[in-house]
Amino acid sequence: MNPRTLTSALLLAVIGLALAPATLASDPARTSVPTRTQINQALKLVNCKADRKAFRTLAFAMRDVQDSGEAKAGWQPIATEGEGDGMPPGGMMGVIAEMRLPAPVRVFGHETTRLILSRMSIVAAFDDPGVARELTGTLELEGRGAEAPPGGMRVLHSAPEEHGDGIEVIALVADRIESDPSPISVAGCLYTTR
């Protein structure tokens, strides 16, 4: 697979975030405030400062948040339009959970209070849809071209799996998401095997 095709395929996985509304459960009993340790762990993953094993450990620990509808370790379930397994229509990888931070943090130079965990990525969500275009330049991401929506990706690590026949990929990503009621930007880290 050539790098441009790989870039497009991996970005499509992140775009799957757009198919799930970013709405938390309204029941206060189902929400939890993350601890400083949980926030620090999540931010390390968002910034691609952890390995794929650390990401898989978190994703595995959160696998039942979507099905149970219960908050866990600071993460909240996100509705996925009737798809209980977190797989939105169209078969794209869905969102597992969202972490609402008690105070804004700076991620890639921009403030946010939301982190989103999917089966292949962990990203910060920004209310400003223009952040994706800016970060594509400042993070030196490979963009999709002038006519395509803002966003891009840069592979930071690519190596054969230790136990398997795939290629482990860790990449910085940014994308503009056309969500309802208004567009947002997401940026973070993709942890996957191809």
Side-chain angles (χ1 to χ4, degrees):
M1 182 179 284
N2 73 38
R4 190 163 292 277
T5 305
L6 177 62
T7 297
S8 297
L10 293 174
L11 281 174
L12 285 176
V14 175
I15 292 171
L17 296 171
L19 298 177
T23 314
L24 290 173
S26 59
D27 181 358
R30 294 183 358 179
T31 62
S32 66
V33 176
T35 66
R36 174 50 51 194
T37 300
Q38 292 163 338
I39 293 168
N40 289 343
Q41 176 194 24
L43 290 174
K44 187 174 179 181
L45 287 162
V46 167
N47 286 285
C48 294
K49 302 291 185 196
D51 61 18
R52 187 166 167 265
K53 181 179 178 183
F55 174 78
R56 288 177 56 180
T57 299
L58 175 64
F60 185 76
M62 296 301 116
R63 72 191 183 286
D64 62 342
V65 169
Q66 187 66 44
D67 292 335
S68 71
E70 298 297 323
K72 184 175 184 180
W75 293 91
Q76 321 294 329
I78 298 178
T80 54
E81 299 180 0
E83 301 292 330
D85 63 358
M87 186 71 77
M92 299 176 90
M93 287 302 202
V95 169
I96 295 174
E98 176 179 35
M99 182 182 281
R100 291 277 177 154
L101 305 176
V105 295
R106 293 193 72 76
V107 179
F108 306 121
H110 297 272
E111 284 194 348
T112 186
T113 57
R114 293 173 52 210
L115 305 178
I116 299 172
L117 175 67
S118 79
R119 290 190 172 99
M120 293 180 14
S121 64
I122 180 168
V123 297
F126 306 97
D127 292 332
D128 179 357
V131 168
R133 182 175 308 280
E134 178 189 329
L135 290 179
T136 298
T138 59
L139 296 177
E140 300 176 359
L141 307 181
E142 181 182 331
R144 293 176 280 197
E147 310 239 342
M153 181 183 83
R154 178 167 47 103
V155 174
L156 301 176
H157 172 78
S158 176
E161 282 185 293
E162 188 175 323
H163 302 289
D165 57 1
I167 303 293
E168 290 185 357
V169 176
I170 298 176
L172 275 173
V173 295
D175 212 342
R176 176 187 163 114
I177 305 296
E178 299 298 329
S179 63
D180 185 28
S182 61
I184 62 170
S185 289
V186 296
C189 199
L190 178 68
Y191 296 88
T192 190
T193 302
R194 289 282 178 224

